[in-house]
Amino acid sequence: KASAVRTDAPVIFRASGLADGARVRDVSFDARAGEIVGLAGVVGAGRSETFATIFGERRAIAGEMELDGAPYRASSVRQAIARGVALVPEERRSQALIMEDSVRANVALGNWRGTTPAPLLPFVSDGRAQRTAERMMELLHIKARDPQVAVRTLSGGNQQKVVFGRWLARGARLMLLDEPTRGVDIGARQQIWQTVEDFAAAGNAV
């Protein structure tokens, strides 16, 4: 099922005949600018594996993918992220967050270029990382005393918002969401879906 979207909106992501040799078999779909496309199936149907293949965690053995009209096939997670693809995985504690680390460090994770004082300098600016984390905390209503607190001290909903904050800070283009509201309370669930809708409305795809 897809959200209402203009039929002439540009296709952000296209998969055609995608397969990984295991559970992902002949998967084809388009995701247009402003669109939220839902993938549904029973446990073990291959939803998570499809996302992992798009995100460069699994190798595609067949099929074609396009991102913003250009050929796309990530051979690593690093390549996928560099192209603007983001994944909010099913299990945030083990797959998305460093629980003992701070909100600031988790938002900055994988976004070191966005937190360096200058493009060619190989170290992180604490000030820039702090300001980015504060901006994401305000935008997503993350309830934490400050960006220095450990992620493990936050509620499940606020932990999930930290994952979203990481990708929003990077300027992601395509967001892959695997059970994004599992284990969060109703208030956080509403905030997360509003964030998803706003992301799509900005001309991106989910």
Side-chain angles (χ1 to χ4, degrees):
K1 183 181 179 181
S3 61
V5 66
R6 285 172 33 208
T7 56
D8 62 344
V11 174
I12 300 296
F13 178 80
R14 169 171 288 152
S16 179
L18 190 63
D20 72 345
R23 289 182 175 174
V24 181
R25 305 172 188 171
D26 196 24
V27 173
S28 301
F29 66 91
D30 290 351
R32 296 180 177 273
E35 188 168 35
I36 302 171
V37 178
L39 305 183
V42 298
V43 174
R47 179 196 65 242
S48 296
E49 290 81 3
T50 297
F51 288 159
T53 303
I54 297 170
F55 197 54
E57 292 180 347
R58 297 170 71 94
R59 187 171 69 90
I61 64 167
E64 302 293 333
M65 292 183 281
E66 292 181 3
L67 185 63
D68 280 324
Y72 168 81
R73 180 167 294 193
S75 59
S76 68
V77 169
R78 182 187 297 270
Q79 288 186 2
I81 293 173
R83 289 289 299 272
V85 180
L87 173 67
V88 177
E90 188 172 17
E91 209 335 284
R92 60 182 169 271
R93 288 175 172 267
S94 62
Q95 298 176 333
L97 295 168
I98 301 176
M99 300 300 292
E100 296 302 318
D101 227 330
S102 66
V103 171
R104 186 182 77 179
N106 274 278
V107 169
L109 190 66
N111 189 27
W112 305 121
R113 287 185 181 179
T115 54
T116 55
L120 298 179
L121 294 180
F123 55 87
V124 172
S125 163
D126 287 343
R128 292 191 68 177
Q130 179 82 4
R131 289 191 294 274
T132 298
E134 289 173 347
R135 181 163 54 89
M136 289 301 109
M137 287 175 64
E138 181 178 2
L139 176 68
L140 299 174
H141 305 288
I142 297 172
K143 295 179 180 178
R145 185 179 69 252
D146 57 61
Q148 302 296 337
V149 302
V151 165
R152 63 174 171 76
T153 66
L154 307 184
S155 68
N158 284 295
Q159 289 173 359
Q160 191 74 318
K161 291 178 189 179
V162 171
V163 181
F164 274 90
R166 174 189 306 155
W167 298 125
L168 294 176
R170 286 193 66 96
R173 185 70 168 141
L174 172 69
M175 194 91 73
L176 307 171
L177 309 180
D178 197 351
E179 300 286 357
T181 58
R182 173 176 288 178
V184 305
D185 61 45
I186 184 65
R189 186 176 299 130
Q190 291 173 340
Q191 176 64 47
I192 286 170
W193 281 122
Q194 186 61 57
T195 298
V196 171
E197 291 175 3
D198 291 345
F199 176 81
N204 304 301
V206 179

